[in-house]
Amino acid sequence: MSSSIFSAARLDSRCFWKEGKIAKSDMWSNKRLLVRASIAPSPQIAWKKSEKLQKDVRVAVLGASGYTGSEIVRLLANHPHFGITLMTADRKAGQSLGSVFPHLITQDLPDMVAVKDADFSEVDAVFCCLPHGTTQEIIKGLPKNLKIVDLSADFRLRDILEYEEWYGQPHQAPELQKEAVYGLTEISREDIRHAHLVANPGCYPTSIQLPLVPLIRANLIQLKNIIIDSKSGVSGAGRGAKEANLYTEIAEGIHSYGITKHRHVPEIEQGLSEAARSKITVSFTPHLMPMSRGMQSTIYVEMPSGVTVDDLYEQLKVAYQDEEFVVLLGKGNVPHTRHVRGSNYCLMNVFPDRIPGRAILISVIDNLVKGASGQAVQNLNVMMGLPENMGLKYLPLFP
């Protein structure tokens, strides 16, 4: 018995016509398939940018020439509702984004302008990807009707005195800080839904709080002696030219930095302390790794008497069983950064330590996606009442 197949496909003005017959016995036994094909001649195809479509939510990207800004653009290329109408980059003002990031040359985007020249009359929402310390004044001056997701650290710390201590300058928008919502999506979804301004979490705090917060809330780990060893790709240090980030400084080695004084420490402790409803102090050491993307946090915790690693595993399973982007691996499977590259996923697992009463948690993310731009898109989706996975259905890139 046989069946006939006739298909026509059109791609970039070229027509491919295929006609053939498949014998089922051949198809399933020896995989043979006979096809007659012809290609219709067509005019020469000119390279052109992707067609610009009118979208529901008009988006501005402030600081589009940095890594997190360009990653926002990449993610929004496939978003059905968010369309970019404004991009700023003071040092690249007047240039196209494709001239700065050739991998985005196919996108039909407005040229970048200086922030001072930006017109927000055709904007509904803003991704602010500016450096720490510059964002507060700019956001304070934006129209009040805009939804804003800030990827800097300028609104993450609720205590403005703590901000001044760690960032070395007074907070420039203390009134605005009071309404900012810390945007760890899976933990603070309902607050984010009604927010005007969301402070997007840092990359290290994201990879650390996602596994720890559910365990702290369930009283399954001790609140003392939490040791965190985190490693990040060099893109986490930003795109600015810095001697410490030169190839010869980073390649073929591991670079520990910010020991006891990394600026993500107060953000980590703020989130964990809120989960515990008491002050938590952690031991946190970050490292730069000779890779572009990726982040792994290895966390060592103590368990109360009578609690087992299986209890920790089951709690994480319950906490994240309905979450699309946080995945608890099967028992014994080790998370690896290469398995989340380019995606908004966080993979995690928990293992017994050789020391009785201790457990080891491992969490991996892409520092530019779940650790920054991907979580920002996820947050704006929530703020706009859209499904959280819109624009984020990218599978990890491997190998």
Side-chain angles (χ1 to χ4, degrees):
M1 186 175 179
S2 64
S3 62
S4 297
I5 292 181
F6 180 82
S7 64
R10 181 176 178 86
L11 175 62
D12 289 338
S13 302
R14 295 187 181 183
C15 295
F16 297 89
W17 298 90
K18 296 184 179 180
E19 180 182 10
K21 293 183 178 180
I22 305 173
K24 283 190 177 179
S25 59
D26 288 344
M27 182 172 66
W28 296 115
S29 58
N30 55 19
K31 313 296 185 187
R32 295 180 63 195
L33 173 65
L34 302 178
V35 178
R36 295 199 307 272
S38 64
I39 301 177
S42 63
Q44 186 173 356
I45 302 168
W47 181 265
K48 63 179 183 178
K49 293 182 179 180
S50 59
E51 186 177 344
K52 191 170 186 177
L53 300 175
Q54 190 68 33
K55 297 189 178 181
D56 305 334
V57 181
R58 301 165 299 179
V59 170
V61 181
L62 309 187
S65 62
Y67 287 141
T68 57
S70 68
E71 195 72 351
I72 290 281
V73 175
R74 181 182 75 88
L75 295 172
L76 294 192
N78 289 323
H79 199 292
H81 294 287
F82 295 167
I84 297 172
T85 57
L86 172 67
M87 297 191 301
T88 75
D90 285 1
R91 288 179 297 175
K92 306 289 185 181
Q95 299 184 36
S96 68
L97 192 66
S99 68
V100 178
F101 292 106
H103 71 292
L104 299 173
I105 198 171
T106 60
Q107 301 305 299
D108 190 359
L109 298 164
D111 288 344
M112 294 177 285
V113 299
V115 172
K116 65 180 179 60
D117 299 323
D119 178 5
F120 291 92
S121 62
E122 298 295 323
V123 172
D124 303 305
V126 174
F127 290 108
C128 196
C129 308
L130 298 168
H132 310 314
T134 65
T135 302
Q136 292 158 359
E137 285 283 3
I138 289 172
I139 290 182
K140 186 166 64 172
L142 292 179
K144 303 304 180 185
N145 62 309
L146 299 179
K147 297 282 190 179
I148 302 167
V149 180
D150 177 31
L151 282 75
S152 82
D154 278 9
F155 291 96
R156 293 176 190 161
L157 300 182
R158 294 186 178 89
D159 186 337
I160 61 173
L161 295 179
E162 191 169 41
Y163 174 87
E164 182 174 352
E165 176 187 348
W166 285 88
Y167 287 88
Q169 62 185 51
H171 200 290
Q172 301 300 312
E175 291 304 313
L176 203 54
Q177 180 63 61
K178 295 176 183 177
E179 64 181 82
V181 171
Y182 185 73
L184 192 60
T185 321
E186 287 77 11
I187 304 300
S188 303
R189 183 174 285 114
E190 290 308 311
D191 291 334
I192 294 166
R193 198 180 308 279
H194 305 290
H196 154 68
L197 168 62
V198 166
N200 212 60
C203 46
Y204 287 125
T206 295
S207 68
I208 292 163
Q209 292 179 88
L210 284 174
L212 284 181
V213 166
L215 303 181
I216 290 173
R217 286 179 173 175
N219 299 312
L220 290 176
I221 60 174
Q222 301 278 16
L223 304 183
K224 61 179 183 178
N225 299 331
I226 298 175
I227 301 171
I228 306 164
D229 179 296
S230 294
K231 298 176 175 64
S232 174
V234 183
S235 59
R239 204 181 188 212
K242 303 170 189 174
E243 180 180 309
N245 296 340
L246 293 172
Y247 177 83
T248 49
E249 305 290 330
I250 295 295
E252 302 177 21
I254 301 174
H255 181 78
S256 304
Y257 70 106
I259 300 171
T260 74
K261 58 181 184 294
H262 193 281
R263 288 173 169 177
H264 282 175
V265 167
E267 182 183 343
I268 295 165
E269 294 180 347
Q270 172 181 268
L272 300 185
S273 297
E274 287 182 0
R277 298 185 179 181
S278 64
K279 177 63 177 174
I280 290 181
T281 302
V282 300
S283 176
F284 169 66
T285 306
H287 315 266
L288 285 184
M289 303 297 289
M291 59 186 187
S292 297
R293 293 173 177 256
M295 175 167 288
Q296 174 173 316
S297 288
T298 305
I299 308 166
Y300 304 88
V301 297
E302 296 178 356
M303 297 175 289
S305 177
V307 175
T308 67
V309 171
D310 285 341
D311 295 328
L312 272 56
Y313 185 91
E314 289 304 316
Q315 181 61 33
L316 291 173
K317 184 177 179 180
V318 169
Y320 294 120
Q321 61 186 353
D322 296 324
E323 295 291 346
E324 179 167 357
F325 294 120
V326 181
V327 180
L328 178 66
L329 300 183
K331 290 184 177 181
N333 293 325
V334 181
H336 297 292
T337 58
R338 63 180 178 272
H339 295 152
V340 294
R341 181 182 174 90
S343 78
N344 197 50
Y345 292 102
C346 171
L347 306 184
M348 65 176 66
N349 215 337
V350 59
F351 304 87
D353 199 338
R354 292 180 62 247
I355 301 173
R358 293 191 65 92
I360 303 169
L361 294 149
I362 297 178
S363 166
V364 298
I365 60 173
D366 184 317
N367 58 291
L368 288 179
V369 189
K370 187 59 172 172
S373 304
Q375 186 159 218
V377 173
Q378 189 178 356
N379 281 330
L380 189 58
N381 282 337
V382 174
M383 296 167 79
M384 291 296 180
L386 298 171
E388 285 182 28
N389 61 6
M390 278 193 173
L392 296 170
K393 296 181 181 180
Y394 292 89
L395 293 178
L397 180 63
F398 179 83

